[in-house]
Amino acid sequence: MIGSGGREHALLRALQRTAQRELELFCAPGNGGIAQLAQCIAINAEDLSALATFAEGSKIDLTMVGPEAPLAKGIVDEFARRGLPIVGAGREAARLESSKAFAKDFMRRHRIPTASYRITSSAEEATTILQSGEFGAEDNPVVVKADGLAAGKGVIVAPTRSAAIQAVKDLRGGAVGSEAARLIVIEEALSGREVSLLLFSDGKDFRLMPAARDHKRVGEGDTGPNTGGMGSITDAGLLDEATRDLIVREIVEPTLQGCRNEGFPFRGILFIGLMMTTKGPQVLEYNVRFGDPEAQAILARLESDLSRILQAISEGRLGEIEINWSPDSSACVVLAAPGYPGKPETGSLIRGLESAARHERVAVFHAATARNEEGGWLTAGGRVLGVTATGENLDLALSRCYEAVADLNWEGLHFRRDIGREGPGQLAANH
């Protein structure tokens, strides 16, 4: 497993929990919680050569990539060059996430429903577009995005034109890396209900996962800046069968066919962020890996052997297997350090981990933790823990989550108390 967050901890837990054979698990670089499940290897997740050399030397049967950055850098291509089995999108396919401009143009080429947009390479050009009236009047919201990877912080939903112009200046002025903001995408702001649909794909066949919903804003009622994700849910009520079939027909299949047509069959995990608008489902974004914290909520419901699913993807046999999911609902609540999503304060002692993990049908995933010399747990990043629970319905899953959250504490801890609660409608606060 490549990565070091809550998503990777959830993947490793799912591998262990669903395994029908003995597995030896390694994680590079991992974190304190992951070290309880897997042997952590001190190799940076973006050191492609060192990772491939380790897999080669240790005779690793299969590698799974958690985060987006190594995929964008071409880790799958490097492993394939050395004949090493790996699950993840190749560098070409990873552009669906690593370049928002590429993704928007891809959707236009393949007639995939999405918001209208413009791509610019300068703040001056962006300002001219925003002042032209193309995206409506001054008080019409608009979405401003940095083109490249920005750890969930490259998207700004601006309520007015002047706010959008300021957002362009902020992105170009260093709010995200200069390479990420080389191009700016300006988009119509869609309104409606946000849903995420993830799937496994081996380049030929695909298998859907349960629909999820993420909560990106840091504050309750979907207020404040975007984060990497403050919580997520899965529930049968998120997508009815007819809507899911429509999404498969109009979005999933054209996307996968488009990838094949353009010479990069999609292999790995595809995440499609959707807004359910009055005109029908529209794509907000693609990710080419599990979302975090969506992975925690989705994988809690997996009943089939994850190692066999991943092996089938790597061998192009996904069409031969059936994947079973629990009919339950699930929820994940993220506990964050003070300062997040800005610079977090770290090093605080975490209290209550053992009692939180004892709650019925609850798992606590470590996103950023470390051990001190006495064996205590310390906060080591912005999003620290993901408390995940399942239940026969969403209310039960959420109540189990929040009962466990109540046992956890550190100085300045903050979390959202409204995960899973539907507001009157929301603007696209996409990743």
Side-chain angles (χ1 to χ4, degrees):
M1 185 66 60
I2 293 169
S4 60
R7 162 186 46 223
E8 289 75 34
H9 195 185
L11 280 160
L12 288 159
R13 182 80 63 87
L15 281 164
Q16 184 191 63
R17 178 179 60 79
T18 62
Q20 296 167 4
R21 52 187 167 172
E22 193 172 334
L23 300 176
E24 190 177 359
L25 301 172
F26 300 84
C27 188
N31 66 33
I34 286 171
Q36 297 177 304
L37 291 178
Q39 184 180 330
C40 290
I41 310 299
I43 303 174
N44 186 287
E46 296 180 46
D47 189 342
L48 312 191
S49 178
L51 291 164
T53 298
F54 171 79
E56 215 164 28
S58 303
K59 296 183 167 54
I60 299 295
D61 297 297
L62 187 62
T63 298
M64 169 75 188
V65 187
E68 59 273 26
L71 294 168
K73 289 185 77 170
I75 188 167
V76 170
D77 309 77
E78 174 66 15
F79 271 56
R81 189 178 65 77
R82 299 198 198 188
L84 299 168
I86 187 168
V87 174
R91 190 205 301 262
E92 288 293 295
R95 287 186 299 164
L96 290 172
E97 176 170 5
S98 65
S99 170
K100 291 181 173 65
F102 174 83
K104 293 297 287 191
D105 286 345
F106 174 91
M107 287 183 249
R108 180 159 61 189
R109 285 195 297 275
H110 299 288
R111 296 185 173 86
I112 293 160
T114 190
S116 61
Y117 69 100
R118 291 286 299 274
I119 298 166
T120 80
S121 57
S122 73
E124 294 73 24
E125 185 185 12
T127 300
T128 300
I129 290 167
L130 286 164
Q131 290 174 337
S132 71
E134 181 179 339
F135 288 91
E138 161 67 21
D139 58 354
N140 263 37
V142 68
V143 182
V144 180
K145 299 178 177 181
D147 174 58
L149 297 177
K153 297 169 188 173
V155 176
I156 299 165
V157 182
T160 63
R161 282 301 152 278
S162 47
I165 290 166
Q166 185 59 49
V168 171
K169 290 177 182 172
D170 291 345
L171 290 174
R172 296 280 296 183
V176 298
S178 58
E179 184 56 31
R182 190 174 58 83
L183 294 177
I184 297 288
V185 179
I186 300 167
E187 273 188 25
E188 164 198 15
L190 300 176
S191 61
R193 191 168 50 87
E194 209 168 327
V195 177
S196 304
L197 189 60
L198 283 75
L199 55 96
F200 299 105
S201 173
D202 68 357
K204 304 190 302 285
D205 296 297
F206 68 92
R207 294 286 184 268
L208 295 179
M209 303 183 206
R213 187 156 77 87
D214 186 21
H215 295 68
K216 276 284 172 217
R217 300 294 189 94
V218 72
E220 283 156 33
D222 288 319
T223 57
N226 274 354
T227 70
M230 292 301 291
S232 62
I233 59 165
T234 76
D235 182 67
L238 287 175
L239 272 187
D240 61 52
E241 194 172 340
T243 307
R244 190 188 64 219
D245 291 347
L246 175 71
I247 292 166
V248 166
R249 195 166 60 248
E250 294 192 350
I251 294 170
V252 173
E253 289 175 343
T255 296
L256 296 175
Q257 187 61 51
C259 292
R260 288 190 289 270
N261 291 351
E262 297 198 12
F264 50 89
F266 192 92
R267 300 181 183 96
I269 313 300
L270 181 63
F271 172 122
I272 306 176
L274 299 159
M275 186 65 87
M276 314 308 289
T277 75
T278 52
K279 297 177 183 174
Q282 298 202 44
V283 177
L284 296 171
E285 62 164 356
Y286 295 114
N287 291 338
V288 297
R289 37 75 194 184
F290 271 106
D292 186 345
E294 290 95 340
Q296 290 87 312
I298 290 169
L299 292 168
R301 290 177 52 187
L302 181 63
E303 293 181 338
S304 298
D305 184 336
L306 180 57
S307 69
R308 294 193 186 279
I309 297 168
L310 298 179
Q311 187 175 8
I313 292 170
S314 75
E315 296 172 359
R317 298 184 295 99
L318 188 61
E320 297 172 14
I321 67 170
E322 191 177 324
I323 302 176
N324 297 313
W325 302 91
S326 158
D328 288 346
S329 300
S330 62
C332 175
V333 176
V334 170
L335 278 59
Y340 182 77
K343 185 173 172 55
E345 297 172 29
T346 59
S348 296
L349 186 66
I350 302 169
R351 300 177 184 83
L353 271 170
E354 287 183 12
S355 53
R358 282 197 293 266
H359 285 264
E360 182 186 6
R361 293 172 67 175
V362 165
V364 180
F365 296 112
H366 292 235
T369 62
R371 304 300 285 265
N372 62 17
E373 290 177 4
E374 294 78 40
W377 291 98
L378 303 176
T379 62
R383 291 184 296 169
V384 179
L385 299 171
V387 179
T388 304
T390 58
E392 290 76 18
N393 55 59
L394 184 58
D395 282 343
L396 186 53
L398 285 164
S399 66
R400 284 175 173 153
C401 255
Y402 282 112
E403 283 168 14
V405 166
D407 286 347
L408 291 156
N409 190 39
W410 63 82
E411 195 171 338
L413 157 70
H414 67 98
F415 61 93
R416 281 184 56 169
R417 292 166 174 80
D418 63 346
I419 300 301
R421 301 304 175 204
E422 192 74 61
Q426 58 203 91
L427 288 169
N430 44 321
H431 305 41

PDB file of all heavy atoms in Angstrom, residues 93-120:
ATOM      1  N   ALA A  93      -4.095   8.494 -17.859  1.00  0.00           N
ATOM      2  CA  ALA A  93      -5.435   8.460 -17.265  1.00  0.00           C
ATOM      3  C   ALA A  93      -5.521   9.363 -16.037  1.00  0.00           C
ATOM      4  O   ALA A  93      -6.572   9.952 -15.756  1.00  0.00           O
ATOM      5  CB  ALA A  93      -5.816   7.030 -16.900  1.00  0.00           C
ATOM      6  N   ALA A  94      -4.414   9.484 -15.305  1.00  0.00           N
ATOM      7  CA  ALA A  94      -4.409  10.306 -14.084  1.00  0.00           C
ATOM      8  C   ALA A  94      -4.629  11.780 -14.379  1.00  0.00           C
ATOM      9  O   ALA A  94      -4.973  12.555 -13.484  1.00  0.00           O
ATOM     10  CB  ALA A  94      -3.099  10.106 -13.323  1.00  0.00           C
ATOM     11  N   ARG A  95      -4.461  12.189 -15.659  1.00  0.00           N
ATOM     12  CA  ARG A  95      -4.732  13.600 -16.001  1.00  0.00           C
ATOM     13  C   ARG A  95      -6.196  13.967 -15.769  1.00  0.00           C
ATOM     14  O   ARG A  95      -6.523  15.149 -15.642  1.00  0.00           O
ATOM     15  CB  ARG A  95      -4.353  13.866 -17.458  1.00  0.00           C
ATOM     16  CG  ARG A  95      -2.843  13.906 -17.696  1.00  0.00           C
ATOM     17  CD  ARG A  95      -2.516  14.320 -19.121  1.00  0.00           C
ATOM     18  NE  ARG A  95      -3.070  13.386 -20.094  1.00  0.00           N
ATOM     19  CZ  ARG A  95      -3.209  13.649 -21.395  1.00  0.00           C
ATOM     20  NH1 ARG A  95      -2.864  14.820 -21.880  1.00  0.00           N
ATOM     21  NH2 ARG A  95      -3.706  12.738 -22.208  1.00  0.00           N
ATOM     22  N   LEU A  96      -7.086  12.975 -15.723  1.00  0.00           N
ATOM     23  CA  LEU A  96      -8.491  13.269 -15.401  1.00  0.00           C
ATOM     24  C   LEU A  96      -8.604  13.951 -14.044  1.00  0.00           C
ATOM     25  O   LEU A  96      -9.546  14.705 -13.797  1.00  0.00           O
ATOM     26  CB  LEU A  96      -9.318  11.984 -15.410  1.00  0.00           C
ATOM     27  CG  LEU A  96      -9.560  11.341 -16.778  1.00  0.00           C
ATOM     28  CD1 LEU A  96     -10.222   9.975 -16.608  1.00  0.00           C
ATOM     29  CD2 LEU A  96     -10.409  12.245 -17.666  1.00  0.00           C
ATOM     30  N   GLU A  97      -7.633  13.685 -13.156  1.00  0.00           N
ATOM     31  CA  GLU A  97      -7.614  14.376 -11.866  1.00  0.00           C
ATOM     32  C   GLU A  97      -6.535  15.436 -11.796  1.00  0.00           C
ATOM     33  O   GLU A  97      -6.760  16.507 -11.238  1.00  0.00           O
ATOM     34  CB  GLU A  97      -7.415  13.377 -10.718  1.00  0.00           C
ATOM     35  CG  GLU A  97      -7.299  14.071  -9.374  1.00  0.00           C
ATOM     36  CD  GLU A  97      -7.343  13.137  -8.183  1.00  0.00           C
ATOM     37  OE1 GLU A  97      -7.371  11.903  -8.381  1.00  0.00           O
ATOM     38  OE2 GLU A  97      -7.370  13.636  -7.052  1.00  0.00           O
ATOM     39  N   SER A  98      -5.359  15.153 -12.364  1.00  0.00           N
ATOM     40  CA  SER A  98      -4.220  16.054 -12.160  1.00  0.00           C
ATOM     41  C   SER A  98      -4.330  17.335 -12.969  1.00  0.00           C
ATOM     42  O   SER A  98      -3.631  18.310 -12.690  1.00  0.00           O
ATOM     43  CB  SER A  98      -2.908  15.346 -12.484  1.00  0.00           C
ATOM     44  OG  SER A  98      -2.836  15.011 -13.855  1.00  0.00           O
ATOM     45  N   SER A  99      -5.221  17.361 -13.970  1.00  0.00           N
ATOM     46  CA  SER A  99      -5.457  18.600 -14.731  1.00  0.00           C
ATOM     47  C   SER A  99      -6.952  18.817 -14.893  1.00  0.00           C
ATOM     48  O   SER A  99      -7.619  18.107 -15.649  1.00  0.00           O
ATOM     49  CB  SER A  99      -4.794  18.532 -16.111  1.00  0.00           C
ATOM     50  OG  SER A  99      -5.220  19.629 -16.903  1.00  0.00           O
ATOM     51  N   LYS A 100      -7.476  19.809 -14.200  1.00  0.00           N
ATOM     52  CA  LYS A 100      -8.906  20.097 -14.317  1.00  0.00           C
ATOM     53  C   LYS A 100      -9.256  20.589 -15.716  1.00  0.00           C
ATOM     54  O   LYS A 100     -10.351  20.347 -16.222  1.00  0.00           O
ATOM     55  CB  LYS A 100      -9.325  21.107 -13.246  1.00  0.00           C
ATOM     56  CG  LYS A 100      -9.268  20.516 -11.836  1.00  0.00           C
ATOM     57  CD  LYS A 100      -9.704  21.502 -10.788  1.00  0.00           C
ATOM     58  CE  LYS A 100      -9.806  20.825  -9.427  1.00  0.00           C
ATOM     59  NZ  LYS A 100      -8.489  20.352  -8.922  1.00  0.00           N
ATOM     60  N   ALA A 101      -8.302  21.275 -16.357  1.00  0.00           N
ATOM     61  CA  ALA A 101      -8.532  21.736 -17.731  1.00  0.00           C
ATOM     62  C   ALA A 101      -8.642  20.535 -18.676  1.00  0.00           C
ATOM     63  O   ALA A 101      -9.548  20.478 -19.523  1.00  0.00           O
ATOM     64  CB  ALA A 101      -7.397  22.658 -18.170  1.00  0.00           C
ATOM     65  N   PHE A 102      -7.743  19.567 -18.521  1.00  0.00           N
ATOM     66  CA  PHE A 102      -7.806  18.358 -19.356  1.00  0.00           C
ATOM     67  C   PHE A 102      -9.137  17.645 -19.137  1.00  0.00           C
ATOM     68  O   PHE A 102      -9.792  17.199 -20.091  1.00  0.00           O
ATOM     69  CB  PHE A 102      -6.647  17.413 -19.019  1.00  0.00           C
ATOM     70  CG  PHE A 102      -6.729  16.091 -19.740  1.00  0.00           C
ATOM     71  CD1 PHE A 102      -6.270  15.956 -21.040  1.00  0.00           C
ATOM     72  CD2 PHE A 102      -7.301  14.989 -19.118  1.00  0.00           C
ATOM     73  CE1 PHE A 102      -6.376  14.736 -21.713  1.00  0.00           C
ATOM     74  CE2 PHE A 102      -7.403  13.764 -19.780  1.00  0.00           C
ATOM     75  CZ  PHE A 102      -6.940  13.644 -21.084  1.00  0.00           C
ATOM     76  N   ALA A 103      -9.556  17.515 -17.867  1.00  0.00           N
ATOM     77  CA  ALA A 103     -10.795  16.795 -17.546  1.00  0.00           C
ATOM     78  C   ALA A 103     -12.011  17.477 -18.168  1.00  0.00           C
ATOM     79  O   ALA A 103     -12.893  16.801 -18.732  1.00  0.00           O
ATOM     80  CB  ALA A 103     -10.965  16.688 -16.030  1.00  0.00           C
ATOM     81  N   LYS A 104     -12.059  18.809 -18.098  1.00  0.00           N
ATOM     82  CA  LYS A 104     -13.206  19.527 -18.673  1.00  0.00           C
ATOM     83  C   LYS A 104     -13.239  19.352 -20.200  1.00  0.00           C
ATOM     84  O   LYS A 104     -14.299  19.106 -20.783  1.00  0.00           O
ATOM     85  CB  LYS A 104     -13.145  21.008 -18.309  1.00  0.00           C
ATOM     86  CG  LYS A 104     -13.329  21.318 -16.825  1.00  0.00           C
ATOM     87  CD  LYS A 104     -14.691  20.926 -16.286  1.00  0.00           C
ATOM     88  CE  LYS A 104     -15.784  21.849 -16.748  1.00  0.00           C
ATOM     89  NZ  LYS A 104     -17.054  21.615 -16.019  1.00  0.00           N
ATOM     90  N   ASP A 105     -12.087  19.460 -20.830  1.00  0.00           N
ATOM     91  CA  ASP A 105     -12.046  19.278 -22.284  1.00  0.00           C
ATOM     92  C   ASP A 105     -12.389  17.838 -22.665  1.00  0.00           C
ATOM     93  O   ASP A 105     -13.052  17.598 -23.684  1.00  0.00           O
ATOM     94  CB  ASP A 105     -10.663  19.653 -22.832  1.00  0.00           C
ATOM     95  CG  ASP A 105     -10.428  21.162 -22.861  1.00  0.00           C
ATOM     96  OD1 ASP A 105     -11.419  21.920 -22.727  1.00  0.00           O
ATOM     97  OD2 ASP A 105      -9.263  21.581 -23.015  1.00  0.00           O
ATOM     98  N   PHE A 106     -11.944  16.872 -21.864  1.00  0.00           N
ATOM     99  CA  PHE A 106     -12.280  15.458 -22.085  1.00  0.00           C
ATOM    100  C   PHE A 106     -13.801  15.267 -22.043  1.00  0.00           C
ATOM    101  O   PHE A 106     -14.392  14.611 -22.897  1.00  0.00           O
ATOM    102  CB  PHE A 106     -11.597  14.591 -21.019  1.00  0.00           C
ATOM    103  CG  PHE A 106     -11.968  13.131 -21.053  1.00  0.00           C
ATOM    104  CD1 PHE A 106     -11.227  12.224 -21.800  1.00  0.00           C
ATOM    105  CD2 PHE A 106     -13.051  12.643 -20.324  1.00  0.00           C
ATOM    106  CE1 PHE A 106     -11.561  10.870 -21.833  1.00  0.00           C
ATOM    107  CE2 PHE A 106     -13.400  11.301 -20.343  1.00  0.00           C
ATOM    108  CZ  PHE A 106     -12.646  10.409 -21.103  1.00  0.00           C
ATOM    109  N   MET A 107     -14.446  15.877 -21.032  1.00  0.00           N
ATOM    110  CA  MET A 107     -15.908  15.755 -20.913  1.00  0.00           C
ATOM    111  C   MET A 107     -16.605  16.371 -22.118  1.00  0.00           C
ATOM    112  O   MET A 107     -17.581  15.817 -22.627  1.00  0.00           O
ATOM    113  CB  MET A 107     -16.388  16.411 -19.617  1.00  0.00           C
ATOM    114  CG  MET A 107     -16.065  15.632 -18.361  1.00  0.00           C
ATOM    115  SD  MET A 107     -16.727  16.428 -16.876  1.00  0.00           S
ATOM    116  CE  MET A 107     -15.232  16.960 -16.066  1.00  0.00           C
ATOM    117  N   ARG A 108     -16.084  17.499 -22.576  1.00  0.00           N
ATOM    118  CA  ARG A 108     -16.701  18.143 -23.742  1.00  0.00           C
ATOM    119  C   ARG A 108     -16.544  17.243 -24.979  1.00  0.00           C
ATOM    120  O   ARG A 108     -17.494  17.059 -25.737  1.00  0.00           O
ATOM    121  CB  ARG A 108     -16.065  19.512 -23.994  1.00  0.00           C
ATOM    122  CG  ARG A 108     -16.675  20.223 -25.213  1.00  0.00           C
ATOM    123  CD  ARG A 108     -16.441  21.720 -25.185  1.00  0.00           C
ATOM    124  NE  ARG A 108     -15.032  22.042 -25.190  1.00  0.00           N
ATOM    125  CZ  ARG A 108     -14.552  23.277 -24.998  1.00  0.00           C
ATOM    126  NH1 ARG A 108     -15.374  24.279 -24.769  1.00  0.00           N
ATOM    127  NH2 ARG A 108     -13.258  23.504 -25.018  1.00  0.00           N
ATOM    128  N   ARG A 109     -15.348  16.673 -25.161  1.00  0.00           N
ATOM    129  CA  ARG A 109     -15.107  15.800 -26.321  1.00  0.00           C
ATOM    130  C   ARG A 109     -16.053  14.604 -26.336  1.00  0.00           C
ATOM    131  O   ARG A 109     -16.472  14.145 -27.387  1.00  0.00           O
ATOM    132  CB  ARG A 109     -13.661  15.288 -26.315  1.00  0.00           C
ATOM    133  CG  ARG A 109     -12.634  16.287 -26.722  1.00  0.00           C
ATOM    134  CD  ARG A 109     -11.302  15.640 -27.055  1.00  0.00           C
ATOM    135  NE  ARG A 109     -10.659  14.961 -25.944  1.00  0.00           N
ATOM    136  CZ  ARG A 109      -9.885  15.548 -25.038  1.00  0.00           C
ATOM    137  NH1 ARG A 109      -9.680  16.855 -25.088  1.00  0.00           N
ATOM    138  NH2 ARG A 109      -9.301  14.841 -24.087  1.00  0.00           N
ATOM    139  N   HIS A 110     -16.387  14.083 -25.152  1.00  0.00           N
ATOM    140  CA  HIS A 110     -17.183  12.859 -25.080  1.00  0.00           C
ATOM    141  C   HIS A 110     -18.630  13.109 -24.647  1.00  0.00           C
ATOM    142  O   HIS A 110     -19.336  12.174 -24.266  1.00  0.00           O
ATOM    143  CB  HIS A 110     -16.472  11.846 -24.172  1.00  0.00           C
ATOM    144  CG  HIS A 110     -15.114  11.479 -24.703  1.00  0.00           C
ATOM    145  ND1 HIS A 110     -14.959  10.683 -25.809  1.00  0.00           N
ATOM    146  CD2 HIS A 110     -13.878  11.863 -24.323  1.00  0.00           C
ATOM    147  CE1 HIS A 110     -13.662  10.569 -26.070  1.00  0.00           C
ATOM    148  NE2 HIS A 110     -12.984  11.279 -25.191  1.00  0.00           N
ATOM    149  N   ARG A 111     -19.042  14.381 -24.734  1.00  0.00           N
ATOM    150  CA  ARG A 111     -20.426  14.780 -24.470  1.00  0.00           C
ATOM    151  C   ARG A 111     -20.915  14.291 -23.100  1.00  0.00           C
ATOM    152  O   ARG A 111     -22.025  13.787 -22.962  1.00  0.00           O
ATOM    153  CB  ARG A 111     -21.357  14.259 -25.585  1.00  0.00           C
ATOM    154  CG  ARG A 111     -21.060  14.861 -26.942  1.00  0.00           C
ATOM    155  CD  ARG A 111     -22.086  14.416 -27.973  1.00  0.00           C
ATOM    156  NE  ARG A 111     -21.910  15.108 -29.243  1.00  0.00           N
ATOM    157  CZ  ARG A 111     -21.078  14.705 -30.208  1.00  0.00           C
ATOM    158  NH1 ARG A 111     -20.351  13.616 -30.028  1.00  0.00           N
ATOM    159  NH2 ARG A 111     -20.978  15.374 -31.326  1.00  0.00           N
ATOM    160  N   ILE A 112     -20.079  14.465 -22.107  1.00  0.00           N
ATOM    161  CA  ILE A 112     -20.431  14.084 -20.738  1.00  0.00           C
ATOM    162  C   ILE A 112     -20.956  15.338 -20.044  1.00  0.00           C
ATOM    163  O   ILE A 112     -20.293  16.381 -20.056  1.00  0.00           O
ATOM    164  CB  ILE A 112     -19.197  13.493 -20.030  1.00  0.00           C
ATOM    165  CG1 ILE A 112     -18.823  12.149 -20.687  1.00  0.00           C
ATOM    166  CG2 ILE A 112     -19.457  13.303 -18.539  1.00  0.00           C
ATOM    167  CD1 ILE A 112     -17.421  11.703 -20.433  1.00  0.00           C
ATOM    168  N   PRO A 113     -22.163  15.286 -19.461  1.00  0.00           N
ATOM    169  CA  PRO A 113     -22.772  16.498 -18.895  1.00  0.00           C
ATOM    170  C   PRO A 113     -21.943  17.101 -17.762  1.00  0.00           C
ATOM    171  O   PRO A 113     -21.599  16.423 -16.802  1.00  0.00           O
ATOM    172  CB  PRO A 113     -24.141  16.014 -18.392  1.00  0.00           C
ATOM    173  CG  PRO A 113     -24.070  14.530 -18.353  1.00  0.00           C
ATOM    174  CD  PRO A 113     -23.037  14.102 -19.317  1.00  0.00           C
ATOM    175  N   THR A 114     -21.630  18.386 -17.892  1.00  0.00           N
ATOM    176  CA  THR A 114     -20.840  19.098 -16.891  1.00  0.00           C
ATOM    177  C   THR A 114     -21.134  20.591 -17.006  1.00  0.00           C
ATOM    178  O   THR A 114     -21.761  21.034 -17.979  1.00  0.00           O
ATOM    179  CB  THR A 114     -19.331  18.811 -17.074  1.00  0.00           C
ATOM    180  OG1 THR A 114     -18.607  19.328 -15.950  1.00  0.00           O
ATOM    181  CG2 THR A 114     -18.783  19.419 -18.352  1.00  0.00           C
ATOM    182  N   ALA A 115     -20.682  21.369 -16.047  1.00  0.00           N
ATOM    183  CA  ALA A 115     -20.923  22.823 -16.050  1.00  0.00           C
ATOM    184  C   ALA A 115     -20.157  23.491 -17.182  1.00  0.00           C
ATOM    185  O   ALA A 115     -19.074  23.052 -17.570  1.00  0.00           O
ATOM    186  CB  ALA A 115     -20.485  23.412 -14.711  1.00  0.00           C
ATOM    187  N   SER A 116     -20.720  24.593 -17.711  1.00  0.00           N
ATOM    188  CA  SER A 116     -20.001  25.380 -18.707  1.00  0.00           C
ATOM    189  C   SER A 116     -18.748  25.978 -18.064  1.00  0.00           C
ATOM    190  O   SER A 116     -18.711  26.211 -16.853  1.00  0.00           O
ATOM    191  CB  SER A 116     -20.899  26.479 -19.275  1.00  0.00           C
ATOM    192  OG  SER A 116     -21.305  27.350 -18.236  1.00  0.00           O
ATOM    193  N   TYR A 117     -17.710  26.228 -18.885  1.00  0.00           N
ATOM    194  CA  TYR A 117     -16.420  26.616 -18.309  1.00  0.00           C
ATOM    195  C   TYR A 117     -15.578  27.378 -19.321  1.00  0.00           C
ATOM    196  O   TYR A 117     -15.824  27.353 -20.519  1.00  0.00           O
ATOM    197  CB  TYR A 117     -15.659  25.365 -17.853  1.00  0.00           C
ATOM    198  CG  TYR A 117     -15.181  24.499 -19.004  1.00  0.00           C
ATOM    199  CD1 TYR A 117     -13.863  24.545 -19.445  1.00  0.00           C
ATOM    200  CD2 TYR A 117     -16.055  23.637 -19.679  1.00  0.00           C
ATOM    201  CE1 TYR A 117     -13.421  23.774 -20.511  1.00  0.00           C
ATOM    202  CE2 TYR A 117     -15.623  22.862 -20.744  1.00  0.00           C
ATOM    203  CZ  TYR A 117     -14.310  22.930 -21.154  1.00  0.00           C
ATOM    204  OH  TYR A 117     -13.874  22.171 -22.221  1.00  0.00           O
ATOM    205  N   ARG A 118     -14.541  28.044 -18.805  1.00  0.00           N
ATOM    206  CA  ARG A 118     -13.493  28.648 -19.620  1.00  0.00           C
ATOM    207  C   ARG A 118     -12.148  28.348 -18.961  1.00  0.00           C
ATOM    208  O   ARG A 118     -12.064  28.251 -17.724  1.00  0.00           O
ATOM    209  CB  ARG A 118     -13.691  30.162 -19.715  1.00  0.00           C
ATOM    210  CG  ARG A 118     -14.903  30.582 -20.533  1.00  0.00           C
ATOM    211  CD  ARG A 118     -14.713  30.413 -22.032  1.00  0.00           C
ATOM    212  NE  ARG A 118     -13.606  31.220 -22.535  1.00  0.00           N
ATOM    213  CZ  ARG A 118     -13.721  32.505 -22.907  1.00  0.00           C
ATOM    214  NH1 ARG A 118     -14.898  33.131 -22.822  1.00  0.00           N
ATOM    215  NH2 ARG A 118     -12.674  33.169 -23.356  1.00  0.00           N
ATOM    216  N   ILE A 119     -11.123  28.208 -19.770  1.00  0.00           N
ATOM    217  CA  ILE A 119      -9.774  27.960 -19.262  1.00  0.00           C
ATOM    218  C   ILE A 119      -8.914  29.172 -19.610  1.00  0.00           C
ATOM    219  O   ILE A 119      -8.929  29.643 -20.750  1.00  0.00           O
ATOM    220  CB  ILE A 119      -9.175  26.683 -19.893  1.00  0.00           C
ATOM    221  CG1 ILE A 119     -10.012  25.462 -19.515  1.00  0.00           C
ATOM    222  CG2 ILE A 119      -7.721  26.487 -19.450  1.00  0.00           C
ATOM    223  CD1 ILE A 119      -9.711  24.220 -20.339  1.00  0.00           C
ATOM    224  N   THR A 120      -8.173  29.694 -18.626  1.00  0.00           N
ATOM    225  CA  THR A 120      -7.336  30.869 -18.861  1.00  0.00           C
ATOM    226  C   THR A 120      -5.923  30.613 -18.342  1.00  0.00           C
ATOM    227  O   THR A 120      -5.718  29.778 -17.453  1.00  0.00           O
ATOM    228  CB  THR A 120      -7.904  32.126 -18.162  1.00  0.00           C
ATOM    229  OG1 THR A 120      -7.540  32.079 -16.774  1.00  0.00           O
ATOM    230  CG2 THR A 120      -9.405  32.201 -18.276  1.00  0.00           C
TER     231      THR A 120
END
